[in-house]
Amino acid sequence: MSKIENLKNELKALGSEYAKIKDLKAEQRSAFGAKLNAKKSAILKQIAELEATAQSAKVTPIDLTAPSAPNQPIPVIKQGTKHPLTTELERVTDIYSRMGFDVMESYQLDDEFHMFESLNFPADHPARDGYDTFRTSEGFIPPAHTSTMQHRALLKYKENLEKGGQIAVVIPGRVFRNEDVDATHEHTFYQCEGVFVSKDATMGQMLGLLKNFFETYYGQSLNIKTQPGYFPFTEPSVEFLIEKPKSLGGKGDGWLEMLGCGMVHPNVLSQAGIDPKEYRGFAWGGGIERLVMLKYHLNDIRYFESAKLDFLKEF
Ligand code: DAH
């Protein structure tokens, strides 16, 4: 008989001992009962210990340091890949870096000053409502556009101007808007901002630079045009459009609005301590998803944040 079986029999035998309690005198009962209880728990403890040892004896130990046997199949490791937006954002910043732009990362939690005041949004101006801005209960702002970084970029790089150089920086980042989600709108998406300041920056330079960017990104020459726009932080402001290329599903008729841009407003420069009489700048900002959707013929922005593996595996 095994040790465990012996102990289990002892436990059973205890049962008839317990039955004797009722025949005892009242004053003897508690001491007798306590003795039985102690015996019972000692037995239960021993059983538990023996069972645990038996259990671990069944497990074959693995030598983690052993080299794999040559005739064993190599396990298939399913490796993840970068999210398509990460890959594309890297492509975008890479193109600008090769043009000489520095890259700065945007904040994911910002404030009223950087969202509005620093960008020449007058207090109580209706344009403030145009950004469907979220606010935390502490009064912070998850940025509704990467332009919130413009003031910081100007401050950070203004010493370039003092040394006779230029400010040339791009700022990719995640932005948030309190919008209804549909195939072309997300509450969380990505933008890339650009700021350039020099003694003689012009709109022509800006359009040439943006055309060059889009042609490099899509790997083909493109037709571009602008149409009037309004942003408090640029004057004049325009919207930048490309003609949908045939190779990307265009039929030679559609124009796509890719970003907003313009000459940096003098108030934005002077708020950062840059003299607008001496320096001029241009700036632009646009969504990354739109760029990527056109490139890969995607028709629903919601795929990006859907965590659908079938979708992600295609990249
Ligand atoms: N921040 C604007 C938006 O999200 C886009 C934009 C327009 C950025 C003009 C700029 C700019 O830097 O100069 O709608």
Side-chain angles (χ1 to χ4, degrees):
M1 206 184 283
S2 79
K3 248 183 171 172
I4 293 186
E5 280 167 357
N6 275 338
L7 286 164
K8 286 187 175 165
N9 284 339
E10 271 183 51
L11 207 57
K12 253 191 221 156
L14 267 187
S16 48
E17 292 291 302
Y18 276 107
K20 289 181 189 155
I21 292 181
K22 63 178 188 322
D23 306 325
L24 292 175
K25 287 191 191 130
E27 62 274 19
Q28 292 173 329
R29 281 183 190 167
S30 108
F32 187 76
K35 225 163 87 191
L36 289 183
N37 283 343
K39 215 168 176 183
K40 184 178 168 188
S41 33
I43 296 172
L44 285 173
K45 191 170 163 230
Q46 280 188 64
I47 294 178
E49 279 166 8
L50 286 170
E51 279 178 346
T53 323
Q55 191 66 30
S56 57
K58 273 190 221 147
V59 178
T60 323
I62 303 170
D63 178 2
L64 294 175
T65 61
S68 65
N71 54 356
Q72 254 173 23
I74 297 165
V76 182
I77 299 165
K78 285 195 187 130
Q79 255 190 331
T81 53
K82 276 189 188 167
H83 191 281
L85 285 178
T86 306
T87 312
E88 296 304 316
L89 259 178
E90 284 171 1
R91 285 196 179 130
V92 167
T93 48
D94 187 52
I95 297 172
Y96 286 122
S97 304
R98 280 186 276 132
M99 291 178 180
F101 281 78
D102 271 338
V103 182
M104 227 172 127
E105 216 176 310
S106 84
Y107 289 22
Q108 295 205 25
L109 201 56
D110 218 309
D111 55 36
E112 221 46 56
F113 174 76
H114 289 91
M115 178 69 210
F116 296 119
E117 272 94 71
S118 74
L119 290 168
N120 192 41
F121 280 82
D124 303 325
H125 193 279
R128 289 192 179 211
D129 298 337
Y131 284 85
D132 302 311
T133 315
F134 285 116
R135 280 186 175 72
T136 70
S137 46
E138 297 83 4
F140 290 110
I141 293 185
H145 55 175
T146 41
S147 304
T148 46
M149 293 300 292
Q150 276 197 22
H151 183 74
R152 292 188 185 96
L154 295 175
L155 289 181
K156 178 169 179 197
Y157 290 100
K158 90 178 166 185
E159 62 178 36
N160 290 4
L161 299 177
E162 287 147 18
K163 289 184 201 146
Q166 310 155 336
I167 296 178
V169 56
V170 289
I171 312 145
R174 201 177 203 187
V175 295
F176 311 88
R177 290 193 194 177
N178 192 358
E179 290 210 68
D180 288 337
V181 173
D182 63 26
T184 53
H185 296 90
E186 258 288 7
H187 51 70
T188 301
F189 55 102
Y190 288 82
Q191 284 190 331
C192 185
E193 190 81 8
V195 187
F196 182 87
V197 182
S198 72
K199 282 205 180 275
D200 51 12
T202 65
M203 196 90 161
Q205 285 175 351
M206 178 181 78
L207 298 179
L209 179 133
L210 292 174
K211 184 172 194 284
N212 195 323
F213 166 78
F214 283 102
E215 291 187 338
T216 310
Y217 183 76
Y218 289 117
Q220 57 196 284
S221 58
L222 293 167
N223 292 327
I224 62 159
K225 72 171 180 181
T226 58
Q227 61 193 27
Y230 172 73
F231 304 100
F233 35 99
T234 39
E235 183 56 41
S237 304
V238 295
E239 280 160 3
F240 182 92
L241 296 88
I242 62 172
E243 192 173 24
K244 195 170 179 181
K246 287 198 178 77
S247 63
L248 296 175
K251 295 171 189 69
D253 50 355
W255 287 93
L256 304 164
E257 192 197 313
M258 301 308 289
L259 46 79
C261 53
M263 300 305 291
V264 178
H265 196 287
N267 290 351
V268 175
L269 291 177
S270 47
Q271 283 223 61
I274 297 171
D275 183 357
K277 290 202 193 78
E278 215 182 319
Y279 297 101
R280 305 138 173 260
F282 53 79
W284 67 96
I288 296 299
E289 282 81 352
R290 185 177 304 185
L291 203 71
V292 179
M293 284 167 77
L294 177 61
K295 183 170 177 182
Y296 292 109
H297 306 261
L298 305 173
N299 54 16
D300 198 323
I301 195 172
R302 289 168 292 195
Y303 277 120
F304 290 116
E305 302 270 345
S306 68
K308 281 190 165 60
L309 284 181
D310 287 350
F311 168 73
L312 295 173
K313 273 184 201 150
E314 286 178 35
F315 294 89

